[in-house]
Amino acid sequence: MDGLNRNSNGAGSWILENLVTIIFVAFTLFGFMVSSGVSVGYFFSELSSRVFRNSFLVLSLIIPVLAGLGLNFGIVIGAMSGQVAIAIARYFEMGGISGLLFCFATAMVVAALCGYFTGRLYNKTRGQEMIASLIVGFFANGIYQFLFLFVVGVIIAVPATHPMIKPDGVGIRMTVDLVPVKQGGLKYALDNIYQVPFVHAILAVAIGLFLLIVVRYWLNIRKGRSYLNSRSSLIVNGGLCLALAGVAIHAMVTKSELMMVRKVPVVTGLLIIGLCVFTVLIMKTKLGQDFRSVGQSQHTAEVSGINVDRTRIIATMISTVLASWGQIIYLQNMGTLNTYNAHTQIGMFSVAALLVGGASTSKAGITHAIFGTILFNAMFIMSPEIGQSLFGQALLGEYFRTFMVYGVIGVALGIHVWKANKKSRIVVE
């Protein structure tokens, strides 16, 4: 009986831990059931495009969570830094790879400076970092708008005939065309470097993951760390990789609809993989161990001789710089700079995607970020179709989509507070 109760409690805890993820999986599957206008080719074309566009931004949230700063809504500041760099590049008509590298370098400097001051603010508002990050985002947005609406044209003289500048010569236009890379602009400057068909990428990823799993299993045995291996995990994960490879090969042989999916930007994918590797490697360094120590207990970390304030500032700076690069990747894919609105929802959407993947305010990893980005964007694709199928209006799906974004954040924070209260009650008892 006790065993049955333990199993029941374990299942309940698992459902509670993954409640947000379960809701989104169910929502996406429901969308496929009720909508008839979404083909497999369309769905995967949209999904792969969105995942490559947004993954870098979501991954930039991991380090602050591990360092105990919670969900860093302040990545909006990083996004604005990226937009400032893109605006400068477009003003001086820089494009292609050189223009893109200029954007990355300029954004890094601006974002690092902003991240430093943001980190200092978080240290002053210790324990309320998430609220502080929201407020500082609004404050930074005010400065950003003052810069682009007033300083450009009034304090910094610019020609009114420039295509970026408003006709009266003051301020930058609402929308700035980034110009295709073939015409010397930044649009698809990263994505168009090298592309491969979708199924080829699936096959390569499946084989790569399978080899990684097998090699890691073999190395653990060879180094006498067999206790780290799990044969059941090897069979399940290896089987999934082989199944994925089988689907890709079948699609190539039969020329199925998957062959019509939009091509995959290889260099963008390599940058995302590079950020994943960077996140893993930095956590194995002294600095990464400091992040974990500070995230688990600031008091214990301070007693151990770790400079807590400095560690938190570094975590914020890294996150802000990564967010600025993520915004550049995002905008070069979109092809236009929506000057005053492109950054406003970045923080909310990225945080929601991370939470959908199963992360919390105190726990986050690469799988949470990647899985959450896939699931969150799948919901974005299906929402209008569900609204159209159920209510006859795609617009209702758009409203529902917004509701889901804020609902996810609210549910995740509610669960976090409930678990924290439950844990404190157990300690008192």
Side-chain angles (χ1 to χ4, degrees):
M1 193 65 183
D2 288 342
L4 192 62
N5 286 336
R6 277 198 299 273
N7 289 336
S8 176
N9 290 334
S13 299
W14 185 87
I15 292 173
L16 192 61
E17 287 274 349
N18 299 281
L19 180 62
V20 175
T21 307
I22 293 169
I23 291 172
F24 269 70
V25 170
F27 184 83
T28 305
L29 292 176
F30 178 70
F32 271 110
M33 290 168 61
V34 300
S35 61
S36 57
V38 178
S39 65
V40 173
Y42 169 79
F43 177 77
F44 281 107
S45 289
E46 284 293 312
L47 186 62
S48 69
S49 176
R50 288 170 176 271
V51 167
F52 282 100
R53 186 189 304 155
N54 296 309
S55 293
F56 208 95
L57 280 164
V58 181
L59 285 165
S60 71
L61 291 167
I62 293 176
I63 289 178
V65 173
L66 296 177
L69 291 159
L71 302 167
N72 183 21
F73 292 95
I75 63 167
V76 173
I77 298 172
M80 282 186 269
S81 304
Q83 290 174 194
V84 168
I86 284 182
I88 295 172
R90 284 313 305 147
Y91 180 79
F92 292 105
E93 298 183 350
M94 290 185 279
I97 301 297
S98 58
L100 201 62
L101 291 175
F102 170 83
C103 290
F104 281 129
T106 306
M108 184 177 71
V109 174
V110 177
L113 185 64
C114 294
Y116 172 76
F117 288 112
T118 307
R120 293 200 62 170
L121 176 69
Y122 290 167
N123 286 336
K124 298 291 184 186
T125 56
R126 205 179 301 271
Q128 305 294 331
E129 290 90 347
M130 284 194 284
I131 296 173
S133 64
L134 272 173
I135 300 303
V136 78
F138 292 131
F139 175 72
N141 189 34
I143 296 176
Y144 174 87
Q145 293 199 17
F146 175 74
L147 175 69
F148 277 14
L149 281 173
F150 179 77
V151 174
V152 174
V154 175
I155 299 176
I156 301 174
V158 291
T161 54
H162 195 285
M164 275 183 64
I165 306 301
K166 292 195 299 181
D168 59 1
V170 178
I172 295 179
R173 289 178 185 269
M174 185 70 77
T175 304
V176 176
D177 184 11
L178 297 186
V179 182
V181 65
K182 290 180 180 177
Q183 299 173 21
L186 288 169
K187 185 178 181 180
Y188 301 139
L190 189 65
D191 292 348
N192 274 2
I193 293 176
Y194 184 62
Q195 295 182 325
V196 297
F198 178 74
V199 289
H200 293 186
I202 292 292
L203 181 61
V205 169
I207 293 174
L209 286 176
F210 179 77
L211 292 175
L212 182 66
I213 292 169
V214 172
V215 168
R216 190 170 64 175
Y217 191 89
W218 176 72
L219 283 176
N220 283 338
I221 294 174
R222 188 174 180 182
K223 294 181 179 178
R225 299 184 303 189
S226 300
Y227 59 90
L228 293 175
N229 287 336
S230 168
R231 184 166 293 181
S232 58
S233 296
L234 174 70
I235 294 171
V236 171
N237 294 331
L240 286 173
C241 291
L242 291 177
L244 200 61
V247 169
I249 293 171
H250 179 267
M252 285 187 277
V253 172
T254 61
K255 306 290 184 188
S256 75
E257 201 173 353
L258 284 176
M259 291 297 290
M260 304 301 292
V261 176
R262 195 177 301 156
K263 287 186 175 181
V264 172
V266 175
V267 178
T268 308
L270 290 176
L271 282 179
I272 294 169
I273 293 172
L275 180 53
C276 295
V277 173
F278 168 78
T279 305
V280 171
L281 292 181
I282 197 173
M283 296 313 294
K284 293 182 178 178
T285 63
K286 169 70 169 56
L287 180 62
Q289 295 304 316
D290 289 351
F291 287 155
R292 285 193 190 281
S293 300
V294 172
Q296 288 167 1
S297 171
Q298 293 183 38
H299 176 69
T300 306
E302 197 160 6
V303 170
S304 303
I306 297 172
N307 189 331
V308 174
D309 288 354
R310 176 177 168 274
T311 305
R312 286 160 55 92
I313 289 173
I314 292 173
T316 309
M317 290 174 69
I318 292 174
S319 177
T320 310
V321 170
L322 292 177
S324 71
W325 291 352
Q327 184 71 352
I328 293 170
I329 294 171
Y330 176 90
L331 289 174
Q332 63 85 34
N333 178 271
M334 295 296 290
T336 55
L337 169 61
N338 190 346
T339 311
Y340 303 104
N341 293 315
H343 56 278
T344 53
Q345 295 297 324
I346 287 297
M348 286 290 180
F349 286 0
S350 300
V351 165
L354 189 66
L355 294 174
V356 167
S360 68
T361 54
S362 57
K363 182 187 72 177
I366 293 168
T367 51
H368 297 139
I370 299 298
F371 184 57
T373 306
I374 294 172
L375 208 51
F376 187 74
N377 285 288
M379 183 274 290
F380 257 63
I381 298 166
M382 299 309 297
S383 292
E385 298 299 328
I386 292 175
Q388 181 67 39
S389 300
L390 292 184
F391 308 109
Q393 294 183 37
L395 192 59
L396 284 177
E398 295 286 341
Y399 289 129
F400 192 70
R401 188 159 66 183
T402 306
F403 163 77
M404 291 287 279
V405 170
Y406 294 109
V408 161
I409 297 173
V411 169
L413 294 179
I415 292 174
H416 173 73
V417 171
W418 178 79
K419 286 169 69 177
N421 290 339
K422 184 181 177 184
K423 189 176 177 180
S424 62
R425 278 201 302 272
I426 291 173
V427 171
V428 170
E429 289 169 4

